[in-house]
Amino acid sequence: MCGIVGYIGKQKASPILLEGLKRLEYRGYDSAGLTVHQNARLETVKKTGRVDHLVRAVDGQSLSGRLGISHTRWATHGSVTDANAHPHLSSDGRISIVHNGVIENHRNIKRFLVAQGYSFCSETDSEVLANLISYHYEKETARDQTRFVESVRKALKHIEGTFGIAVLCAECPDQLLGARRGSPLIVGIGDGEYLLASDVAAVISRTQNVVYLKDNEIVALCPDNFSISTINLEDVDPIVSRIDWSIDEVELGAHPHFMEKEIFEQPTALENSMRGRFAADGSTANFGGLNLSPQEWRQVDRLLFCACGTAWHACLVAEYLIERYARIPVEVEYASEFRYRNAPLEKNTLVFVISQSGETIDTLAALREAQRKGFRTLAITNVVGSTIAREADGGIYQHVGPEIGVASTKAFTSQILLSAMVALYLGRLRDMSYTDGVGLAEALKGVPALVDRILRENGHIQEIARRYSGYEDMLFLGRQSMFPIALEGALKLKEISYIHAEGYPAAEMKHGPIALISDRCPSVFLAPQTETFHKVLANIQEIKARNGKVIAVASESAPFPEGLADDRIVLPDAHEALHPILATIPVQLLSYYIAVERGLDVDKPRNLAKSVTVE
Ligand code: M6R
């Protein structure tokens, strides 16, 4: 949440900051702003609305400085106004700060600073930190380069809460400072320049070499060098990593929206998630980073999966797959609940977290809570070097490339695919036969081609979406592993189309939701060919008897009665383990086309941000 970009180097800072902000806009889009250091002054421009508003506001201003910071905001403290937009200046005009996170003790600090004569012009917690740094700068006895960094260090020692910050000082024309606790921040090492950013998308056009800051680290960037230390004054040896994403992956290309691009990238993304991960004998999966021997896996009696949002739906699918194919009991918890619930866990439980970004604060907190209790933790994440990837005891990278659309698509299907591969791996360590292992592995290898087929044959889904785009309520229904896909279909529709939608196990419908059915509330049934197929047909009939419209997503050769559904979307026949991935594609397309039909901003739905790094 919130995107930060900072620059120090030989180029004019403002165009580089604006380009970086555009690439980070998916992290928040309530307002945007920048400060450029020039002529011993901090020139600040900020505006509510999208980065494009800021671009227009900056246009025509002579911002020639080569040092600057910038921010795109997802509002936490204070409404969406120009005054609450970042950067925030200390009241003496000396310090400018951009901040991602929440300063929990900001009220007490503000009271103290007001008593010291500092004034405030926003409702934000972040302005408090700008003034606190200025207060310590004033009091600092050092008069050399260390004065600025020491004042930041001292200020941060008083902060309770989370922060990723970039800071400028009017009196320090050669210093850009950054620090983090709980909110991500990376250093991009360019050719004669350095960047600070919330994630790699902002720096990728200028460098592929980055340093991932850890919690409680402060980085001091000068034009020719940089150093990292901790808030407690320990020096840190920076580890430079190479980003394996390319610039094309963060650009739209010929697509109107990132969501469409990412839906259509799924065959390749799924191929990349699987690459090199099947054993030579073809009967099981191989994962390099789980850091557990087969003997240690045999000691695991139970798995607990934690995540948020779409990733939580992937956990529910994992539960079906792992219990079915590996016969290991699985529990699924919302990370935000697990972290405070103090659930009693059995001794030989292994905790798995799933997070595309690897930065979701609740998922990270759940991971830490599990580790604190002494449980071994594993993570499925997409972003290399993310906090969750670094802190888990082992894990699996998804390798689907950057996901920019706020609505998660390719990350979700990849999380399901990797869960199926974990099920295969664990099944083969237990009771799955060689032949069944080969059968499941072969089926999984075929998933990219099947997804590709659904995408190529999707024309009529657009037409169906057009006809259903005017409804304000919708139900998504499915049994067994289709239940999480029903939840995911409803979430997708809600978040990008603003249509009220709910997902239910199809059999639960009769216990309440059926009261919603009328000609104004259509249902999407996820009904591939399984042992419960005929039960689902009966549920469809119950809806039809009450004048409800039905879109059925069903397998090609399933005996689906002619005329039972109002609209039918066909899935290729496939191994049952593949149904969750295959059924996801039509629901993604349906919500995408409905949102487009309603003229909505698909990639930046209202009130949302891609990565939820505040509680
Ligand atoms: O980065 P994560 O996978 O941890 O994100 C979890 C959720 O915030 C995310 O899936 C969210 O629900 C998406 N907007 C869904 O499309």
Side-chain angles (χ1 to χ4, degrees):
M1 267 166 174
C2 300
I4 289 175
V5 191
Y7 176 82
I8 184 164
K10 299 188 182 77
Q11 310 293 319
K12 218 166 120 175
S14 56
I16 296 168
L17 296 175
L18 290 169
E19 189 205 326
L21 284 188
K22 282 196 161 198
R23 294 196 194 283
L24 288 193
E25 207 171 8
Y26 62 93
R27 299 182 65 92
Y29 28 85
D30 289 333
S31 60
L34 57 73
T35 294
V36 169
H37 192 295
Q38 67 187 38
N39 307 325
R41 284 171 53 86
L42 298 175
E43 301 292 350
T44 298
V45 186
K46 49 193 196 172
K47 277 264 155 260
T48 54
R50 303 288 163 90
V51 174
D52 279 338
H53 291 203
L54 178 67
V55 171
R56 285 195 289 278
V58 165
D59 202 28
Q61 301 213 20
S62 50
L63 293 179
S64 56
R66 291 158 208 277
L67 166 63
I69 57 176
S70 60
H71 187 267
T72 175
R73 178 173 187 238
W74 187 86
T76 54
H77 288 69
S79 48
V80 179
T81 61
D82 285 353
N84 288 337
H86 295 221
H88 289 287
L89 288 171
S90 57
S91 59
D92 54 16
R94 181 188 266 153
I95 299 292
S96 177
I97 186 170
V98 290
H99 169 226
N100 172 15
V102 174
I103 298 172
E104 287 161 8
N105 57 341
H106 67 103
R107 283 192 190 82
N108 289 345
I109 300 176
K110 187 169 181 175
R111 228 172 283 126
F112 166 78
L113 289 166
V114 167
Q116 306 300 312
Y118 286 88
S119 59
F120 291 82
C121 54
S122 80
E123 306 154 86
T124 66
D125 51 343
S126 314
E127 191 184 11
V128 169
L129 186 51
N131 277 326
L132 188 63
I133 294 172
S134 179
Y135 167 80
H136 283 287
Y137 189 88
E138 189 58 46
K139 293 188 61 152
E140 182 57 48
T141 48
R143 283 290 176 265
D144 56 8
Q145 282 249 328
T146 60
R147 181 177 180 187
F148 181 25
V149 71
E150 284 314 308
S151 56
V152 170
R153 193 190 315 278
K154 285 179 182 153
L156 292 179
K157 279 189 161 250
H158 291 95
I159 296 300
E160 288 164 21
T162 54
F163 53 81
I165 53 169
V167 200
L168 295 180
C169 173
E171 290 158 29
C172 307
D174 291 327
Q175 271 184 297
L176 165 60
L177 302 189
R180 71 158 276 180
R181 182 193 295 152
S183 300
L185 202 61
I186 60 159
V187 179
I189 305 169
D191 185 10
E193 62 188 20
Y194 296 107
L195 294 107
L196 264 184
S198 302
D199 71 51
V200 296
V203 306
I204 202 158
S205 66
R206 306 196 70 82
T207 180
Q208 290 190 294
N209 297 321
V210 298
V211 175
Y212 297 96
L213 289 189
K214 298 198 186 80
D215 274 354
N216 295 312
E217 288 183 352
I218 302 180
V219 61
L221 302 163
C222 299
D224 303 320
N225 58 64
F226 73 100
S227 60
I228 302 177
S229 55
T230 67
I231 288 173
N232 294 325
L233 272 172
E234 295 126 347
D235 288 335
V236 173
D237 272 341
I239 299 168
V240 180
S241 309
R242 201 155 165 83
I243 308 169
D244 64 355
W245 290 351
S246 73
I247 185 77
D248 294 348
E249 290 179 288
V250 293
E251 289 189 339
L252 269 175
H255 293 273
H257 300 105
F258 280 105
M259 184 175 177
E260 190 203 65
K261 178 177 186 243
E262 289 157 7
I263 289 174
F264 280 84
E265 275 172 358
Q266 285 176 110
T268 313
L270 294 167
E271 199 73 65
N272 290 341
S273 289
M274 285 191 291
R275 180 159 299 118
R277 286 177 165 161
F278 285 104
D281 78 349
S283 79
T284 187
N286 260 338
F287 298 103
L290 294 182
N291 301 333
L292 254 88
S293 67
Q295 288 78 7
E296 286 170 310
W297 271 115
R298 296 280 329 177
Q299 308 303 316
V300 174
D301 293 332
R302 186 171 285 276
L303 298 176
L304 172 72
F305 275 79
C306 289
C308 301
T310 286
W312 183 76
H313 298 156
C315 293
L316 293 177
V317 180
E319 179 180 13
Y320 278 96
L321 295 171
I322 293 171
E323 289 193 342
R324 173 156 190 177
Y325 296 105
R327 308 297 303 153
I328 299 177
V330 176
E331 307 244 344
V332 179
E333 283 251 20
Y334 280 115
S336 54
E337 291 298 310
F338 174 75
R339 62 181 292 193
Y340 293 117
R341 206 165 71 85
N342 197 22
L345 297 185
E346 282 171 36
K347 192 159 88 228
N348 294 336
T349 302
L350 185 140
V351 177
F352 243 109
V353 298
I354 300 186
S355 172
Q356 186 284 130
S357 62
E359 300 292 349
T360 299
I361 194 84
D362 285 323
T363 310
L364 176 60
L367 174 92
R368 287 176 176 165
E369 176 65 3
Q371 286 178 332
R372 191 192 60 73
K373 288 181 162 173
F375 291 97
R376 200 189 276 262
T377 59
L378 295 176
I380 296 178
T381 45
N382 188 35
V383 179
V384 175
S386 57
T387 311
I388 289 175
R390 283 189 278 114
E391 293 196 11
D393 301 319
I396 305 171
Y397 278 125
Q398 297 185 232
H399 298 308
V400 298
E403 191 179 67
I404 310 279
V406 166
S408 186
T409 52
K410 63 178 179 175
F412 177 62
T413 46
S414 148
Q415 287 159 358
I416 298 176
L417 178 62
L418 291 169
S419 303
M421 293 175 73
V422 169
L424 170 64
Y425 175 72
L426 297 181
R428 288 287 291 132
L429 287 183
R430 293 181 178 228
D431 303 323
M432 188 187 284
S433 70
Y434 171 82
T435 315
D436 287 348
V438 171
L440 180 53
E442 284 306 308
L444 294 173
K445 287 178 200 165
V447 81
L450 295 174
V451 169
D452 187 53
R453 209 182 120 195
I454 301 172
L455 290 169
R456 277 188 288 106
E457 294 168 5
N458 83 83
H460 68 301
I461 300 182
Q462 195 163 358
E463 162 54 22
I464 295 173
R466 196 186 54 70
R467 284 187 279 109
Y468 286 81
S469 62
Y471 289 95
E472 293 305 330
D473 298 285
M474 238 183 242
L475 287 184
F476 285 74
L477 301 159
R479 284 176 180 239
Q480 306 282 297
S481 67
M482 289 299 103
F483 165 51
I485 308 308
L487 291 174
E488 174 63 5
L491 175 64
K492 286 285 90 90
L493 195 68
K494 274 186 276 214
E495 69 179 331
I496 60 166
S497 305
Y498 317 147
I499 294 174
H500 165 244
E502 293 188 40
Y504 272 97
E508 271 297 303
M509 184 193 66
K510 288 200 284 293
H511 299 279
I514 199 163
L516 293 171
I517 299 302
S518 73
D519 58 358
R520 293 202 308 277
C521 179
S523 303
V524 178
F525 271 89
L526 302 165
Q529 178 69 312
T530 63
E531 61 187 13
T532 56
F533 176 67
H534 288 283
K535 309 269 180 204
V536 178
L537 289 186
N539 297 142
I540 296 178
Q541 244 133 10
E542 287 151 8
I543 297 277
K544 291 307 300 168
R546 287 158 181 85
N547 289 329
K549 277 194 173 297
V550 168
I551 303 172
V553 178
S555 307
E556 208 162 21
S557 61
F560 198 92
E562 202 53 49
L564 177 61
D566 298 272
D567 289 283
R568 204 170 140 197
I569 299 171
V570 171
L571 296 179
D573 293 333
H575 190 294
E576 205 171 323
L578 273 50
H579 288 168
I581 295 178
L582 303 184
T584 297
I585 311 300
V587 298
Q588 290 174 344
L589 289 168
L590 202 58
S591 45
Y592 171 72
Y593 289 130
I594 288 178
V596 171
E597 193 64 37
R598 287 165 77 102
L600 297 169
D601 191 344
V602 176
D603 285 335
K604 298 187 189 70
R606 71 183 176 210
N607 305 336
L608 285 168
K610 180 72 181 160
S611 157
V612 181
T613 55
V614 294
E615 262 198 273

Short mmCIF file of all heavy atoms in Angstrom, two decimals, residues 237-266:
data_model
loop_
_atom_site.label_atom_id
_atom_site.label_comp_id
_atom_site.label_asym_id
_atom_site.label_seq_id
_atom_site.Cartn_x
_atom_site.Cartn_y
_atom_site.Cartn_z
N ASP A 237 26.30 -5.27 5.79
CA ASP A 237 26.91 -5.53 4.47
C ASP A 237 25.80 -5.74 3.46
O ASP A 237 25.07 -6.73 3.55
CB ASP A 237 27.77 -6.80 4.53
CG ASP A 237 29.18 -6.48 4.96
OD1 ASP A 237 29.56 -5.31 4.87
OD2 ASP A 237 29.86 -7.42 5.43
N PRO A 238 25.67 -4.86 2.48
CA PRO A 238 24.54 -5.02 1.56
C PRO A 238 24.71 -6.24 0.65
O PRO A 238 25.81 -6.52 0.18
CB PRO A 238 24.55 -3.73 0.73
CG PRO A 238 25.86 -3.09 0.98
CD PRO A 238 26.50 -3.70 2.18
N ILE A 239 23.61 -6.95 0.43
CA ILE A 239 23.63 -8.09 -0.51
C ILE A 239 22.90 -7.63 -1.77
O ILE A 239 21.72 -7.28 -1.72
CB ILE A 239 22.93 -9.32 0.09
CG1 ILE A 239 23.67 -9.75 1.36
CG2 ILE A 239 22.85 -10.46 -0.93
CD1 ILE A 239 22.93 -10.76 2.18
N VAL A 240 23.63 -7.61 -2.89
CA VAL A 240 23.02 -7.13 -4.14
C VAL A 240 22.41 -8.34 -4.87
O VAL A 240 23.06 -9.34 -5.10
CB VAL A 240 24.07 -6.44 -5.03
CG1 VAL A 240 23.42 -5.95 -6.33
CG2 VAL A 240 24.72 -5.27 -4.28
N SER A 241 21.11 -8.22 -5.20
CA SER A 241 20.42 -9.30 -5.93
C SER A 241 20.09 -8.80 -7.33
O SER A 241 19.96 -7.59 -7.56
CB SER A 241 19.10 -9.66 -5.25
OG SER A 241 19.30 -9.91 -3.90
N ARG A 242 19.92 -9.76 -8.25
CA ARG A 242 19.56 -9.39 -9.62
C ARG A 242 18.09 -9.71 -9.87
O ARG A 242 17.63 -10.82 -9.58
CB ARG A 242 20.46 -10.16 -10.59
CG ARG A 242 20.51 -9.49 -11.92
CD ARG A 242 21.74 -9.78 -12.72
NE ARG A 242 21.46 -9.35 -14.09
CZ ARG A 242 21.59 -8.11 -14.52
NH1 ARG A 242 22.01 -7.17 -13.71
NH2 ARG A 242 21.29 -7.80 -15.77
N ILE A 243 17.35 -8.72 -10.38
CA ILE A 243 15.92 -8.92 -10.66
C ILE A 243 15.81 -9.72 -11.95
O ILE A 243 16.44 -9.37 -12.95
CB ILE A 243 15.21 -7.57 -10.91
CG1 ILE A 243 15.48 -6.57 -9.80
CG2 ILE A 243 13.74 -7.77 -11.12
CD1 ILE A 243 15.03 -5.15 -10.15
N ASP A 244 14.96 -10.76 -11.94
CA ASP A 244 14.85 -11.53 -13.20
C ASP A 244 13.60 -11.14 -13.99
O ASP A 244 13.23 -11.82 -14.93
CB ASP A 244 14.94 -13.04 -12.94
CG ASP A 244 13.77 -13.55 -12.10
OD1 ASP A 244 12.97 -12.71 -11.65
OD2 ASP A 244 13.67 -14.77 -11.90
N TRP A 245 12.94 -10.05 -13.63
CA TRP A 245 11.80 -9.58 -14.43
C TRP A 245 12.31 -8.62 -15.51
O TRP A 245 13.30 -7.92 -15.30
CB TRP A 245 10.80 -8.84 -13.54
CG TRP A 245 10.07 -9.73 -12.58
CD1 TRP A 245 10.10 -11.10 -12.56
CD2 TRP A 245 9.22 -9.33 -11.51
NE1 TRP A 245 9.30 -11.56 -11.53
CE2 TRP A 245 8.75 -10.51 -10.88
CE3 TRP A 245 8.79 -8.09 -11.02
CZ2 TRP A 245 7.88 -10.48 -9.78
CZ3 TRP A 245 7.93 -8.07 -9.94
CH2 TRP A 245 7.48 -9.25 -9.33
N SER A 246 11.60 -8.60 -16.64
CA SER A 246 12.03 -7.69 -17.70
C SER A 246 11.06 -6.52 -17.79
O SER A 246 9.94 -6.58 -17.28
CB SER A 246 12.05 -8.44 -19.04
OG SER A 246 10.72 -8.64 -19.46
N ILE A 247 11.50 -5.48 -18.48
CA ILE A 247 10.69 -4.26 -18.60
C ILE A 247 9.36 -4.56 -19.32
O ILE A 247 8.32 -4.02 -18.94
CB ILE A 247 11.49 -3.14 -19.30
CG1 ILE A 247 10.72 -1.83 -19.34
CG2 ILE A 247 11.97 -3.51 -20.66
CD1 ILE A 247 10.70 -1.09 -18.07
N ASP A 248 9.37 -5.47 -20.30
CA ASP A 248 8.12 -5.81 -21.02
C ASP A 248 7.05 -6.32 -20.06
O ASP A 248 5.87 -6.12 -20.27
CB ASP A 248 8.35 -6.94 -22.03
CG ASP A 248 9.25 -6.50 -23.14
OD1 ASP A 248 9.50 -5.29 -23.23
OD2 ASP A 248 9.70 -7.38 -23.90
N GLU A 249 7.52 -7.01 -19.02
CA GLU A 249 6.55 -7.62 -18.10
C GLU A 249 5.81 -6.59 -17.26
O GLU A 249 4.78 -6.90 -16.69
CB GLU A 249 7.26 -8.63 -17.20
CG GLU A 249 7.70 -9.88 -17.94
CD GLU A 249 8.42 -10.85 -17.02
OE1 GLU A 249 9.57 -10.53 -16.64
OE2 GLU A 249 7.86 -11.89 -16.69
N VAL A 250 6.34 -5.39 -17.15
CA VAL A 250 5.62 -4.38 -16.36
C VAL A 250 4.93 -3.38 -17.28
O VAL A 250 4.44 -2.35 -16.84
CB VAL A 250 6.54 -3.66 -15.34
CG1 VAL A 250 7.00 -4.61 -14.27
CG2 VAL A 250 7.71 -2.98 -16.02
N GLU A 251 4.91 -3.67 -18.59
CA GLU A 251 4.22 -2.78 -19.52
C GLU A 251 3.00 -3.46 -20.12
O GLU A 251 2.95 -4.68 -20.25
CB GLU A 251 5.20 -2.32 -20.60
CG GLU A 251 6.18 -1.37 -19.94
CD GLU A 251 7.10 -0.65 -20.87
OE1 GLU A 251 7.29 -1.12 -22.00
OE2 GLU A 251 7.63 0.37 -20.43
N LEU A 252 2.05 -2.64 -20.55
CA LEU A 252 0.77 -3.16 -21.05
C LEU A 252 0.88 -3.85 -22.41
O LEU A 252 0.09 -4.74 -22.71
CB LEU A 252 -0.21 -2.00 -21.21
CG LEU A 252 -1.11 -1.67 -20.03
CD1 LEU A 252 -1.91 -0.42 -20.33
CD2 LEU A 252 -2.04 -2.84 -19.70
N GLY A 253 1.82 -3.41 -23.23
CA GLY A 253 1.88 -3.92 -24.60
C GLY A 253 0.59 -3.57 -25.32
O GLY A 253 0.07 -2.47 -25.19
N ALA A 254 0.03 -4.55 -26.03
CA ALA A 254 -1.17 -4.27 -26.84
C ALA A 254 -2.46 -4.39 -26.03
O ALA A 254 -3.55 -4.22 -26.58
CB ALA A 254 -1.20 -5.24 -28.00
N HIS A 255 -2.37 -4.68 -24.75
CA HIS A 255 -3.59 -4.93 -23.97
C HIS A 255 -4.16 -3.63 -23.39
O HIS A 255 -3.40 -2.75 -22.97
CB HIS A 255 -3.30 -5.89 -22.81
CG HIS A 255 -2.96 -7.26 -23.28
ND1 HIS A 255 -3.92 -8.21 -23.52
CD2 HIS A 255 -1.76 -7.82 -23.58
CE1 HIS A 255 -3.33 -9.32 -23.94
NE2 HIS A 255 -2.02 -9.11 -23.99
N PRO A 256 -5.49 -3.53 -23.30
CA PRO A 256 -6.07 -2.32 -22.70
C PRO A 256 -5.88 -2.27 -21.19
O PRO A 256 -5.86 -1.19 -20.59
CB PRO A 256 -7.56 -2.41 -23.05
CG PRO A 256 -7.81 -3.85 -23.34
CD PRO A 256 -6.52 -4.44 -23.82
N HIS A 257 -5.76 -3.42 -20.55
CA HIS A 257 -5.62 -3.46 -19.09
C HIS A 257 -4.62 -4.55 -18.69
O HIS A 257 -4.53 -5.58 -19.36
CB HIS A 257 -6.96 -3.80 -18.41
CG HIS A 257 -8.05 -2.83 -18.71
ND1 HIS A 257 -9.06 -3.11 -19.58
CD2 HIS A 257 -8.26 -1.57 -18.25
CE1 HIS A 257 -9.87 -2.07 -19.65
NE2 HIS A 257 -9.40 -1.12 -18.87
N PHE A 258 -3.97 -4.31 -17.54
CA PHE A 258 -3.08 -5.35 -17.02
C PHE A 258 -3.86 -6.62 -16.68
O PHE A 258 -3.37 -7.73 -16.84
CB PHE A 258 -2.32 -4.85 -15.79
CG PHE A 258 -1.14 -4.00 -16.15
CD1 PHE A 258 -1.18 -2.63 -15.99
CD2 PHE A 258 0.01 -4.58 -16.68
CE1 PHE A 258 -0.09 -1.84 -16.34
CE2 PHE A 258 1.10 -3.80 -17.04
CZ PHE A 258 1.05 -2.43 -16.87
N MET A 259 -5.11 -6.44 -16.21
CA MET A 259 -5.87 -7.64 -15.85
C MET A 259 -6.05 -8.54 -17.06
O MET A 259 -5.84 -9.76 -16.97
CB MET A 259 -7.22 -7.27 -15.23
CG MET A 259 -7.97 -8.51 -14.77
SD MET A 259 -9.49 -8.10 -13.92
CE MET A 259 -10.15 -9.73 -13.60
N GLU A 260 -6.40 -7.95 -18.19
CA GLU A 260 -6.57 -8.77 -19.40
C GLU A 260 -5.23 -9.41 -19.78
O GLU A 260 -5.15 -10.60 -20.08
CB GLU A 260 -7.11 -7.94 -20.56
CG GLU A 260 -7.51 -8.83 -21.72
CD GLU A 260 -7.52 -8.10 -23.05
OE1 GLU A 260 -6.44 -7.66 -23.51
OE2 GLU A 260 -8.61 -7.98 -23.64
N LYS A 261 -4.17 -8.58 -19.75
CA LYS A 261 -2.84 -9.10 -20.11
C LYS A 261 -2.51 -10.31 -19.22
O LYS A 261 -2.06 -11.35 -19.71
CB LYS A 261 -1.81 -7.99 -19.90
CG LYS A 261 -0.37 -8.39 -20.18
CD LYS A 261 0.56 -7.20 -20.02
CE LYS A 261 1.96 -7.55 -20.42
NZ LYS A 261 2.94 -7.47 -19.33
N GLU A 262 -2.76 -10.17 -17.93
CA GLU A 262 -2.36 -11.22 -17.00
C GLU A 262 -3.24 -12.46 -17.11
O GLU A 262 -2.78 -13.58 -16.92
CB GLU A 262 -2.30 -10.63 -15.58
CG GLU A 262 -1.10 -9.69 -15.47
CD GLU A 262 -1.17 -8.62 -14.38
OE1 GLU A 262 -2.11 -8.65 -13.57
OE2 GLU A 262 -0.28 -7.75 -14.36
N ILE A 263 -4.52 -12.26 -17.45
CA ILE A 263 -5.39 -13.43 -17.69
C ILE A 263 -4.84 -14.22 -18.88
O ILE A 263 -4.71 -15.44 -18.85
CB ILE A 263 -6.85 -13.00 -17.95
CG1 ILE A 263 -7.50 -12.47 -16.67
CG2 ILE A 263 -7.67 -14.17 -18.52
CD1 ILE A 263 -8.91 -11.89 -16.86
N PHE A 264 -4.49 -13.48 -19.93
CA PHE A 264 -4.04 -14.16 -21.16
C PHE A 264 -2.60 -14.68 -21.04
O PHE A 264 -2.17 -15.48 -21.87
CB PHE A 264 -4.25 -13.25 -22.38
CG PHE A 264 -5.68 -13.30 -22.84
CD1 PHE A 264 -6.65 -12.49 -22.26
CD2 PHE A 264 -6.08 -14.18 -23.82
CE1 PHE A 264 -7.99 -12.55 -22.65
CE2 PHE A 264 -7.41 -14.27 -24.22
CZ PHE A 264 -8.37 -13.45 -23.63
N GLU A 265 -1.86 -14.19 -20.05
CA GLU A 265 -0.51 -14.72 -19.84
C GLU A 265 -0.51 -16.07 -19.13
O GLU A 265 0.55 -16.69 -18.96
CB GLU A 265 0.29 -13.75 -18.94
CG GLU A 265 0.95 -12.62 -19.70
CD GLU A 265 1.57 -11.58 -18.77
OE1 GLU A 265 1.44 -11.71 -17.53
OE2 GLU A 265 2.15 -10.62 -19.26
N GLN A 266 -1.69 -16.52 -18.68
CA GLN A 266 -1.70 -17.69 -17.79
C GLN A 266 -1.08 -18.97 -18.37
O GLN A 266 -0.37 -19.66 -17.64
CB GLN A 266 -3.11 -17.93 -17.25
CG GLN A 266 -3.42 -16.87 -16.17
CD GLN A 266 -4.82 -16.92 -15.60
OE1 GLN A 266 -5.02 -17.29 -14.47
NE2 GLN A 266 -5.79 -16.55 -16.41
#
